[in-house]
Amino acid sequence: MSNEEKILSSNFIRNIIADDLKQNKNEGRVHTRFPPEPNGYLHIGHAKSICLNFGIAEEHEGGLCNLRFDDSNPEKEDLEYVEAIKEDVRWLGFDWQDRLFFASDYYLQLYDYAVILIRAGKAYVESLSLEEIREYRGTLTQPGKASPDRDRSIEENIDLFERMRSGEFEDGKYILRAKIDMASPNMNLRDPAIYRIKKAHHYRTGDEWCIYPMYDFTHGISDALEGITHSLCTLEFEDHRPLYDWFLEQLPIPCHPQQIEFSRLNLSYTVTSKRKLNELVTGGYVDGWDDPRMLTIAGMRRRGYTAAAIRDFCERIGVTKNDTIIDMSVLENCVREDLDKTTRRVMGVLKPLRVVIENYPDDQSEELDAPYHPNDPDMGSRIVPFSKVIYVEHDDFMEEPPRKFFRLGPGREVRLRYAYFITCNEIIKDEHGDVVELRCTYDPETKGGNAPDGRKVRGTIHWVSAEHALDAEVRVYDRLFNDPEPDSNQHDRDWKEFLNPESIEILDNAKLEPSLSKAKAGDQFQFERLGYFNVESKNSKAGKPVFNRTIPLRDSWSKKR
RNA sequence: UGGGGCGUGGCCAAGCGGUUAAGGCACUGGGUUUUGAUCCCAGCAUUCCCAGGUUCGAAUCCUGGCGCCCCAGCCA
């Protein structure tokens, strides 16, 4: 049989598509699209949409998924975002092949469709001001009233619309509105704007246009032009579906995709909104869109989260219309699960404590062979040098250890991983009373980590030979927010007040085993007993690499205390 | 007393009139272990927002409540 055919959990969208296929709807085609606006970087919520849209296409024979940039607002969009988004989608493992589209490529067609609407008496040029339009629109409980321009003649509408396009009017002077129903209980149907004047430079069409179509008008038509069968979007567009359908019903387009809405992703202890992430970036709260603490795709990549882990996560959380907050531990579990099986184990000491092994010969050192993965011999092994002076983790020593502490303490014996048993004999402190060095003895009979007399030790700790150590900087990250729901409307404080001031800790004096000197940017490792780390792509220098802690190991000890 | 949605364990989620109400995360206990990791095994909803009703039988159908989310951009 073929390799692991993954059993996919059913969800309401998969069920709808399965039914459609059963009825041979759309001639059996399945064609989706991922339609980002290039106004920021993609985040974990977009990953859900990407996995859904591209995933559904992949699940069906002949299924296709387009990448389409929904760029109808020149003031917010930029080529930088287009490039970043393409990279992110590719990195996640998806391929749009030759189907890269831009709504801005449809501007002329969109304009022609607007003219068709006007000629059919279904759209008119509005001269009311923004404020007046708001007034005329009514409220949630009161119907709106007709604008005086609602009955403008078709000829006049055509003339005005052409002049809007030619640049005759200033921004805001006119808009083109669909003529639907000012009394509709659905606000979106109260004659929504479909074109506005914006004398702005567009990152793709330049100054060719000074009027730009609105989302509702653009999106459905773009879907239809591309032959999309299922147009998946988030719940806030549910109220827009009647409008989506209305445009396609009015226009001579022989394709009417089905819009299906699902709930957007919320994760505890973070924010998943492009607007808020943008605010963190521009406000200098983080180090750019790819800050490893950000749940942007670029940030997660830099942090060391893998595409496979993110895809797995998106499958595990499911797709529904429920308003939910996924526990961050689900994502973290996916990351650990993937890294556990793919990553080499090495030793590194984050907060070094010097240990002198008094009975070890002064000028001796030996090379110990240590496997890269205890459960996967195929990963091979590397040489780890051992010598008289080593570093151990400061946290692995306690002067007055509690009863269940298995590590180093006065008079205690522990195993140095893959090396020897050592016993702590003496503690050396500085003038502040801080422990700065340990004097230990080793048992030469325990080489490799086993005592011939059958004696057991409870603790095994990691270490690095001082003279062979590679100096490194390690960046340890924690959650970006202290509150599980920083942007909850239950709070009366601004969401940024919940930023965790300790979300990054820079350890400038880490000591790593020498095999790591060959590590390249992006390489990932497990530092035994600590967690998973990768070589930071931006700040590493030759001879002084920077490592990001992707995620710590699960730690039932710290939980117990 | 506008409209549109949603409500299954701590967090997700399958379930589509007959199942002991899947599964994952979290948590708890036990086993293996030279990472207090991984792995393994076990436990974790007499009940599906509430109340009525239909039915031999309801998380699934009906009625009525309650709670939460979204909508009054010339943003998407």
Side-chain angles (χ1 to χ4, degrees):
Chain A
M1 292 310 297
S2 67
N3 29 353
E4 73 224 61
E5 189 68 20
K6 207 169 179 192
I7 296 124
L8 299 171
S9 166
S10 86
N11 64 49
F12 79 103
I13 293 178
R14 282 186 175 133
N15 293 345
I16 289 171
I17 291 175
D19 285 350
D20 288 349
L21 252 19
K22 206 174 292 169
Q23 294 168 39
N24 201 37
K25 198 172 162 186
N26 306 306
E27 309 86 46
R29 290 186 307 117
V30 174
H31 199 158
T32 56
R33 100 270 91 114
F34 173 62
E37 185 190 12
N39 66 344
Y41 278 56
L42 264 23
H43 56 67
I44 185 79
H46 296 106
K48 175 180 177 181
S49 176
I50 292 166
C51 291
L52 214 212
N53 279 294
F54 280 92
I56 272 176
E58 282 177 359
E59 286 161 30
H60 296 96
E61 187 69 35
L64 300 172
C65 181
N66 298 355
L67 174 60
R68 179 176 71 238
F69 287 93
D70 218 341
D71 54 353
S72 53
N73 186 351
E75 288 166 342
K76 293 187 175 172
E77 296 153 6
D78 197 278
L79 194 59
E80 178 204 344
Y81 298 128
V82 170
E83 293 309 321
I85 289 169
K86 284 160 71 178
E87 184 186 358
D88 288 347
V89 174
R90 252 190 308 256
W91 177 77
L92 268 180
F94 298 103
D95 184 4
W96 55 87
Q97 297 163 314
D98 59 346
R99 295 179 314 284
L100 171 65
F101 300 112
F102 293 83
S104 49
D105 284 339
Y106 308 140
Y107 281 173
L108 188 56
Q109 290 166 86
L110 258 2
Y111 178 83
D112 290 340
Y113 282 123
V115 170
I116 289 173
L117 233 36
I118 296 171
R119 288 200 195 287
K122 300 287 176 58
Y124 61 98
V125 172
E126 174 66 85
S127 60
L128 253 31
S129 71
L130 204 129
E131 296 72 30
E132 289 167 323
I133 288 174
R134 190 178 300 138
E135 261 174 54
Y136 275 66
R137 188 152 33 221
T139 68
L140 293 177
T141 51
Q142 289 169 307
K145 60 182 180 188
S147 156
D149 294 334
R150 208 167 193 260
D151 296 321
R152 202 191 289 281
S153 73
I154 290 174
E155 293 65 35
E156 198 182 345
N157 280 320
I158 293 285
D159 173 61
L160 249 18
F161 189 47
E162 280 174 356
R163 287 160 65 195
M164 281 168 66
R165 181 192 182 180
S166 68
E168 192 173 319
F169 311 117
E170 293 311 302
D171 290 14
K173 172 77 176 161
Y174 292 109
I175 61 166
L176 183 71
R177 302 177 77 174
K179 191 192 284 189
I180 309 181
D181 177 8
M182 286 308 290
S184 172
N186 182 343
M187 299 294 282
N188 295 300
L189 264 25
R190 318 244 265 230
D191 291 10
I194 61 185
Y195 263 93
R196 74 286 214 197
I197 302 170
K198 267 186 198 293
K199 294 193 170 166
H201 187 83
H202 187 281
Y203 76 99
R204 290 190 79 240
T205 59
D207 299 316
E208 191 182 341
W209 294 87
C210 62
I211 57 171
Y212 292 91
M214 299 287 291
Y215 165 82
D216 287 303
F217 186 69
T218 308
H219 198 87
I221 292 173
S222 302
D223 281 347
L225 291 173
E226 293 174 17
I228 300 303
T229 58
H230 302 270
S231 179
L232 314 180
C233 62
T234 43
L235 240 34
E236 65 269 28
F237 293 104
E238 205 151 21
D239 288 345
H240 294 237
R241 189 178 349 122
L243 186 50
Y244 183 103
D245 291 332
W246 188 89
F247 284 125
L248 294 181
E249 280 158 16
Q250 307 309 314
L251 295 168
I253 306 178
C255 175
H256 192 138
Q258 178 184 4
Q259 174 176 308
I260 305 172
E261 311 83 11
F262 61 94
S263 53
R264 49 184 305 154
L265 172 63
N266 297 298
L267 265 174
S268 60
Y269 295 101
T270 190
V271 292
T272 43
S273 133
K274 238 194 245 175
R275 204 210 90 223
K276 292 193 177 94
L277 293 174
N278 198 158
E279 206 175 325
L280 292 176
V281 172
T282 53
Y285 298 95
V286 295
D287 173 32
W289 283 100
D290 66 345
D291 186 298
R293 294 166 294 177
M294 297 259 278
L295 251 37
T296 50
I297 296 179
M300 293 189 286
R301 176 170 60 234
R302 188 169 153 201
R303 168 94 169 238
Y305 285 20
T306 59
I310 295 168
R311 278 187 257 113
D312 183 31
F313 170 75
C314 291
E315 181 55 34
R316 287 193 202 196
I317 56 176
V319 180
T320 68
K321 303 181 76 150
N322 300 343
D323 186 11
T324 61
I325 302 170
I326 309 285
D327 200 296
M328 188 64 101
S329 67
V330 180
L331 211 209
E332 293 176 337
N333 176 71
C334 291
V335 173
R336 286 199 188 96
E337 203 171 294
D338 186 43
L339 258 18
D340 172 63
K341 50 180 200 273
T342 57
T343 263
R344 284 170 291 175
R345 272 105 238 251
V346 294
M347 290 194 286
V349 174
L350 268 35
K351 296 173 184 165
L353 173 59
R354 187 179 148 93
V355 171
V356 177
I357 300 165
E358 293 180 300
N359 60 339
Y360 195 84
D362 282 351
D363 299 318
Q364 187 177 319
S365 75
E366 50 196 310
E367 297 188 330
L368 305 168
D369 190 55
Y372 271 128
H373 193 123
N375 309 323
D376 183 3
D378 290 346
M379 282 203 188
S381 64
R382 82 289 186 189
I383 295 298
V384 183
F386 183 80
S387 63
K388 185 182 181 79
V389 181
I390 61 172
Y391 294 111
V392 301
E393 204 66 59
H394 217 301
D395 292 348
D396 284 337
F397 173 82
M398 285 186 93
E399 191 171 3
E400 292 170 25
R403 53 281 127 209
K404 293 286 238 178
F405 187 81
F406 301 151
R407 287 110 91 159
L408 229 31
R412 287 175 173 240
E413 183 172 50
V414 298
R415 171 164 43 232
L416 295 175
R417 172 130 242 216
Y418 299 128
Y420 295 96
F421 287 8
I422 57 168
T423 302
C424 174
N425 302 316
E426 192 186 337
I427 304 165
I428 296 174
K429 297 180 179 177
D430 63 12
E431 63 274 25
H432 310 295
D434 295 329
V435 178
V436 292
E437 184 178 307
L438 265 24
R439 296 286 170 144
C440 297
T441 49
Y442 85 118
D443 178 353
E445 299 300 308
T446 58
K447 182 167 181 175
N450 286 301
D453 62 7
R455 165 168 115 254
K456 302 286 181 207
V457 288
R458 294 300 299 274
T460 300
I461 64 174
H462 58 278
W463 54 274
V464 170
S465 167
E467 69 169 291
H468 303 91
L470 171 67
D471 287 311
E473 174 183 317
V474 174
R475 300 181 176 187
V476 171
Y477 303 105
D478 197 357
R479 49 180 56 136
L480 231 199
F481 292 90
N482 280 323
D483 189 274
E485 218 180 327
D487 53 356
S488 162
N489 55 19
Q490 302 296 107
H491 295 310
D492 45 15
R493 290 199 276 155
D494 185 81
W495 57 278
K496 291 190 294 302
E497 292 183 37
F498 296 100
L499 277 163
N500 176 10
E502 290 163 12
S503 58
I504 178 169
E505 184 185 4
I506 295 186
L507 303 169
D508 196 33
N509 188 33
K511 304 289 185 181
L512 311 181
E513 67 168 72
S515 74
L516 255 7
S517 62
K518 295 190 289 284
K520 303 179 302 296
D523 282 359
Q524 295 179 290
F525 301 90
Q526 184 197 98
F527 289 2
E528 292 213 35
R529 304 208 310 128
L530 296 176
Y532 298 96
F533 296 76
N534 76 348
V535 180
E536 156 73 30
S537 49
K538 284 194 167 175
N539 301 293
S540 290
K541 293 180 203 73
K544 184 77 184 273
V546 176
F547 282 77
N548 292 310
R549 186 178 72 183
T550 305
I551 190 162
L553 253 30
R554 207 175 260 113
D555 183 2
S556 56
W557 161 244
S558 68
K559 227 173 274 171
K560 232 174 265 176
R561 311 170 70 205

